[in-house]
Amino acid sequence: MATVDDVRRQFRTPPVEGRPMMRWWWFGPSVDRRELDRQLKAMAAAGLGGVEVAFVYPMSSVDAPFGSDKFLQDVGFAARTARDLGLRFDLTLGSGWSFGGGHIGPELAARRLSWDRREIGAEAYDVPVVEAWPGDEVIAAFVGEGSAGVPTSYAEVAVSNGMIRVPAGSGPREVLIASSRLTGQNVKRAAAGAEGPVLDHYSVAAAEEHIRRVAEPLLKAATPELVGSVFCDSLEVYQADWTPALLSEFASRRGYELRPRLWELLKGSPQVRIDFHRTLSELYEENFVAVFQRWAASHDVPFRIQSYGEPPATMSSYRSADLFEGEGWGWTRLPETRWASSAASIYGRSVVSAEVWTWVHSPSFRATPLDLKGEAHEHFLSGVNQLIGHGWPYSPAGEPGLGWIFYAAGALDDRNPWWPVAPDLFAYLHRLSWLLQQGTPVRPVKVYVPASDAYASGSLNLYRTVRRLIGEDIPRTIRETGLDFDLIDDDALSVVDPASVPLVVVPAESVPVETARWLDAVVAAGGVVVRDVSALTDHLPERLQDDIGVVHRRLDDGDVYFVANTGNQTRTFSLDVPTTYFERWDPGTGTTTVVPASGLTLHPYEAVVLVPVSSGDESSVVDIPLGAVDGSWRVDFAGAVTLPHRWEDDPERSAFSGSAAYEIEIDLPETDARVLLDFGDGSPALGGDYLPEHSYQALLAPPIGVAAEVWLNDTRCGTLWAPPYRIDITDAAKPGANALRIVVHNTGANALAADQHLKPLVESVTARYGHRFDLQDIDHAADTVSSGLFNAPTAVLRQLGNRGR
């Protein structure tokens, strides 16, 4: 049972469920047990909930290759240590991505359909079948009357005794030869000893071989009882659209033979392309996802997967797994997180995770706590309620320079100078993740997945094609009104009651007969089906304020709303909720106040939880500014300074990543009011021009660069790392003179830019183990970096009271 009272009571200090986790990259694999122990303790101390271990390319010499006895023993040690620290331990079932390795021979490797097109004359031809590349297999050959792409139909010709036998014709003709060919794709970013082909994701035998040779030893080493889930990362099996059993599988599933009509994949009826790709989706779900889920279930371990990309996973393909995961931010768009969260909503999974911070403020060490908070909000608004940070690079203590980093991602570990504020950041995210796991999502709109149109296009990446076909206007229009939606595909209709759906948007040219019947049932039950998307706004509420996103969850006896300002300006707005007052729950502290339902205000990148209430005491707040804390500040590396003070303006500090204390004396009056320091919200800023589109950055020039601990009279009052940059110092304040110390922490970007060890290290491991990765955006490490204290705080007296009702 999830009641408002229960959730309110636990919100300040929620149960461990929902704590952010980290993907933990083991490079090589080359690890030391003392270092494993140290890093796990650092994660626990910061308030993280666990790790997802991933095994990737070397960053040093490797003495215990992937799969070796020592490697497996180290996995077991890490799992036991995590248990002892109260951390969840999740295990990636392979190295790099996608699954595969040296144990996958040609008979189990990913394959693709390859076409050879030739123009011939009228005479008969007997053409020898030539194996152009090891593993090639001719499937069928076809001839059509005409040349230069003119034929509109083709006839299958015999392939026997190693010959393609083309009979005589009446004029110029075109021959099409279909072959099955190995894709040649190898595992990306593989650890030493894990190199080899990507497996055939349509083959039970391939999945079972990977389980036998890789997954089973890994899980046994970790001990199943200690593993939170086993995990499959991104589906990036490029061009893989064939498997040896495809012809027989197609016939049994679609009711007709594919071979004589195989040429229609290139031209002709779109129905063959639809049926072909639908068969691939089914084979992926049944012969890969379901196989791994059954194996994991036999060990009482959940199977978690990022089920999108290639092969053409449908949204409903998630149903064959236990835990659903997405990635990608963008709450008004259709990131992979929405693919996963829709499946979780429809198939009744209360927890849905996301690989978060994948490209945050690229390159490594540029991400600030505000960046992490802002991107996390985007995931929450897309339906996610469990964050898997991307990630924590294993790096031995004492390595020169900054040590080891992943080629593309934030380095989110205790090497960041701002790490002293990490416990507050992770506690904030924990409260919201846990809250969003309570009750059920309220998503009154369904957006139909035009799978048939996507299949007809011939694309193997169903998710990406669907995203393009739906476009950006539909999700943005829905979300900006404060409503939420689920994607819904043909398979999901069997578990969704049409009478429960008030509004369906159908951005499709064609739908299957069964889907058409379901849509008719929606209308018959009083719902609305919108086929003309230009008329969508006629069926939606008025648009909310810019940048304001809402998640609505229903508890057993009430409703809660997560509301986030996703932009860099303060916004005032009102929710379309029938109430006069809200309880406002602060995710930063867990405290609650009562506020009027109209005229709600959120600072840049600020979020709150709102709960409608019908009675109670409304909080009143009167702020009285006392003036700026100005004058001569003392900073430990520069003596007396005036604000704003930027470290990079000092040539001797341009490469400095670390901390510095600013000190000043502040006079305070004797008062019964609360005493606050307000540094301001910062100002809107432009993003870096080099950043890739999927790299998140909070577009704010903050008053503190980038985080601070505030001390008054040697008492730690709290931390500042996001708007509103305001802190309560009452409990440490006294009338008269007070010693104020602000310890500012920057990012590791300056040290990364000055690091002379990283590129030679990459060159040395590349020379030894081959080219497995390129560092992304590394030359931009110091772009637009600002560290220091940029704004003098204002002392504020806050009078608190209650307005009676």
Side-chain angles (χ1 to χ4, degrees):
M1 299 286 286
T3 66
V4 171
D5 285 346
D6 288 340
V7 174
R8 181 194 300 109
R9 177 174 49 82
Q10 297 183 83
F11 183 66
R12 184 189 291 266
T13 309
V16 296
E17 292 82 11
R19 284 181 180 170
M21 297 175 58
M22 282 288 179
R23 179 173 295 181
W24 192 16
W25 290 295
W26 287 17
F27 298 102
S30 299
V31 295
D32 175 82
R33 293 192 182 185
R34 289 171 298 181
E35 188 62 33
L36 293 175
D37 180 79
R38 187 198 70 78
Q39 293 185 27
L40 286 167
K41 287 177 177 175
M43 295 181 207
L48 291 168
V51 294
E52 170 200 286
V53 186
F55 313 104
V56 293
Y57 53 82
M59 288 291 282
S60 70
S61 60
V62 176
D63 59 3
F66 184 86
S68 65
D69 288 344
K70 180 182 182 304
F71 161 75
L72 293 173
Q73 291 164 8
D74 289 336
V75 169
F77 171 83
R80 293 188 298 275
T81 304
R83 174 204 55 196
D84 293 344
L85 293 168
L87 297 174
R88 175 173 151 183
F89 188 85
D90 284 19
L91 193 62
T92 306
L93 296 177
S95 172
W97 63 93
S98 294
F99 287 174
H103 56 287
I104 298 298
E107 73 285 357
L108 299 177
R111 303 187 75 85
R112 66 184 179 92
L113 190 60
S114 177
W115 290 93
D116 185 12
R117 187 192 308 256
R118 299 292 176 91
E119 292 187 11
I120 62 173
E123 61 271 28
Y125 286 85
D126 283 348
V127 182
V129 174
V130 178
E131 187 180 43
W133 195 258
D136 282 10
E137 299 174 2
V138 172
I139 299 167
F142 307 89
V143 63
E145 297 294 331
S147 62
V150 170
T152 57
S153 66
Y154 294 79
E156 186 177 5
V157 299
V159 180
S160 62
N161 298 323
M163 301 291 288
I164 301 171
R165 304 187 185 279
V166 184
S170 60
R173 295 174 297 164
E174 186 174 65
V175 173
L176 298 177
I177 303 171
S179 299
S180 166
R181 175 171 293 174
L182 294 170
T183 67
Q185 182 182 355
N186 281 277
V187 174
K188 297 171 68 174
R189 323 299 179 205
E195 305 89 344
V198 168
L199 64 81
D200 179 354
H201 282 55
Y202 310 118
S203 165
V204 171
E208 290 179 342
E209 179 68 0
H210 189 78
I211 287 170
R212 185 177 71 86
R213 297 288 296 276
V214 176
E216 189 76 38
L218 274 171
L219 184 58
K220 181 180 178 181
T223 308
E225 293 79 9
L226 305 184
V227 174
S229 78
V230 288
F231 175 61
C232 175
D233 199 357
S234 300
L235 298 176
E236 300 180 26
V237 190
Y238 304 124
Q239 299 182 308
D241 60 358
W242 196 258
T243 189
L246 185 56
L247 292 177
S248 59
E249 290 282 2
F250 185 97
S252 66
R253 294 165 187 270
R254 306 281 84 89
Y256 65 94
E257 295 294 332
L258 175 62
R259 187 196 305 273
R261 302 182 64 178
L262 199 60
W263 61 271
E264 294 187 54
L265 296 177
L266 298 180
K267 54 180 70 179
S269 167
Q271 189 60 50
V272 174
R273 292 194 294 276
I274 293 170
D275 289 345
F276 178 80
H277 287 89
R278 176 66 179 168
T279 301
L280 293 178
S281 295
E282 292 171 0
L283 291 174
Y284 155 74
E285 180 178 341
E286 297 170 21
N287 295 349
F288 181 79
V289 184
V291 171
F292 276 91
Q293 189 280 331
R294 287 194 299 271
W295 164 78
S298 72
H299 294 285
D300 295 322
V301 177
F303 177 51
R304 176 165 55 91
I305 190 171
Q306 294 182 0
S307 185
Y308 44 81
E310 302 177 37
T314 68
M315 189 198 73
S316 285
S317 294
Y318 272 113
R319 65 189 164 182
S320 294
D322 300 302
L323 299 173
F324 306 171
E325 180 159 302
E327 67 177 301
W329 57 275
W331 69 281
T332 63
R333 303 195 299 267
L334 286 177
E336 295 90 334
T337 46
R338 180 62 66 174
W339 196 253
S341 67
S342 296
S345 173
I346 289 169
Y347 289 102
R349 303 305 200 272
S350 61
V351 176
V352 57
S353 58
E355 175 189 306
V356 63
W357 307 318
T358 305
W359 291 87
V360 62
H361 206 154
S362 181
S364 294
F365 289 110
R366 283 174 59 85
T368 70
L370 177 58
D371 292 324
L372 304 186
K373 176 186 180 183
E375 186 181 330
H377 288 169
E378 300 267 347
H379 288 267
F380 291 148
L381 289 171
S382 294
V384 163
N385 54 23
Q386 174 67 66
L387 304 177
I388 314 289
H390 191 279
W392 183 297
Y394 173 96
S395 182
E399 280 291 300
L402 274 174
W404 300 353
I405 64 173
F406 194 60
Y407 79 100
L412 308 177
D413 58 28
D414 56 352
R415 289 174 290 172
N416 287 278
W418 52 258
W419 200 251
V421 311
D424 288 345
L425 167 66
F426 296 139
Y428 171 92
L429 298 176
H430 177 203
R431 288 191 187 96
L432 289 175
S433 293
W434 176 82
L435 176 92
L436 293 171
Q437 293 177 10
Q438 310 311 304
T440 55
V442 179
R443 299 176 187 166
V445 183
K446 299 292 183 273
V447 177
Y448 175 70
V449 171
S452 292
D453 294 345
Y455 286 146
S457 74
S459 171
L460 273 180
N461 193 318
L462 181 66
Y463 155 73
R464 189 169 296 169
T465 306
V466 163
R467 183 180 64 186
R468 175 179 57 80
L469 292 173
I470 292 175
E472 296 192 355
D473 288 345
I474 292 173
R476 182 176 63 248
T477 300
I478 297 167
R479 296 300 277 124
E480 288 182 347
T481 68
L483 294 184
D484 209 345
F485 70 93
D486 281 324
L487 297 169
I488 186 167
D489 63 10
D490 299 309
D491 288 342
L493 303 184
S494 64
V495 298
V496 177
D497 180 1
S500 70
V501 180
L503 178 61
V504 187
V505 187
V506 185
E509 294 184 6
S510 61
V511 299
V513 172
E514 296 82 359
T515 298
R517 292 195 188 103
W518 187 88
L519 293 171
D520 289 342
V522 170
V523 175
V528 175
V529 174
V530 177
R531 295 180 182 273
D532 179 4
V533 296
S534 66
L536 177 58
T537 54
D538 297 340
H539 305 279
L540 297 173
E542 293 295 320
R543 185 175 180 274
L544 273 177
Q545 177 61 268
D546 289 349
D547 303 322
I548 299 298
V550 182
V551 170
H552 179 190
R553 293 189 74 88
R554 182 150 292 142
L555 304 181
D556 291 337
D557 62 349
D559 298 271
V560 295
Y561 298 85
F562 166 72
V563 186
N565 180 358
T566 61
N568 58 10
Q569 300 182 53
T570 298
R571 299 295 187 189
T572 299
F573 60 97
S574 297
L575 291 185
D576 185 17
V577 175
T579 187
T580 306
Y581 298 96
F582 285 113
E583 278 187 355
R584 177 174 171 142
W585 299 2
D586 181 353
T589 62
T591 57
T592 66
T593 55
V594 177
V595 298
S598 60
L600 299 163
T601 296
L602 288 177
H603 296 269
Y605 303 106
E606 186 181 19
V608 294
V609 176
L610 299 174
V611 181
V613 291
S614 57
S615 62
D617 291 328
E618 175 191 341
S619 305
S620 64
V621 177
V622 177
D623 286 345
I624 305 171
L626 295 180
V629 182
D630 214 345
S632 179
W633 292 70
R634 296 176 303 280
V635 62
D636 48 15
F637 65 75
V641 299
T642 57
L643 304 183
H645 180 244
R646 180 175 181 268
W647 301 354
E648 288 79 10
D649 292 337
D650 180 351
E652 294 184 3
R653 313 300 295 184
S654 61
F656 176 68
S657 289
S659 306
Y662 290 79
E663 298 179 343
I664 199 169
E665 191 173 272
I666 174 176
D667 285 327
L668 295 173
E670 185 170 358
T671 179
D672 293 330
R674 306 298 296 178
V675 184
L676 282 68
L677 292 179
D678 189 346
F679 291 76
D681 281 351
S683 57
L686 299 176
D689 293 338
Y690 76 90
L691 283 177
E693 182 182 2
H694 47 263
S695 182
Y696 182 89
Q697 177 187 6
L699 300 179
L700 189 80
I704 297 170
V706 295
E709 299 170 90
V710 177
W711 298 73
L712 190 70
N713 301 320
D714 292 327
T715 298
R716 191 175 187 266
C717 299
T719 62
L720 294 169
W721 42 272
Y725 291 90
R726 185 184 301 149
I727 194 164
D728 191 322
I729 59 172
T730 307
D731 294 342
K734 62 183 181 179
N738 292 258
L740 175 63
R741 184 167 81 255
I742 301 171
V743 183
V744 174
H745 314 285
N746 70 346
T747 70
N750 291 335
L752 179 63
D755 192 333
Q756 301 298 310
H757 304 279
L758 186 58
K759 288 186 177 179
L761 173 61
V762 171
E763 291 170 358
S764 68
V765 295
T766 299
R768 176 176 293 190
Y769 295 105
H771 193 168
R772 303 188 187 210
F773 65 98
D774 290 305
L775 295 175
Q776 303 286 317
D777 303 324
I778 201 73
D779 294 334
H780 296 282
D783 287 10
T784 66
V785 170
S786 287
S787 312
L789 189 57
F790 311 134
N791 199 28
T794 296
V796 176
L797 297 183
R798 170 162 291 179
Q799 300 282 356
L800 300 177
N802 295 322
R803 299 188 185 101
R805 297 206 293 275

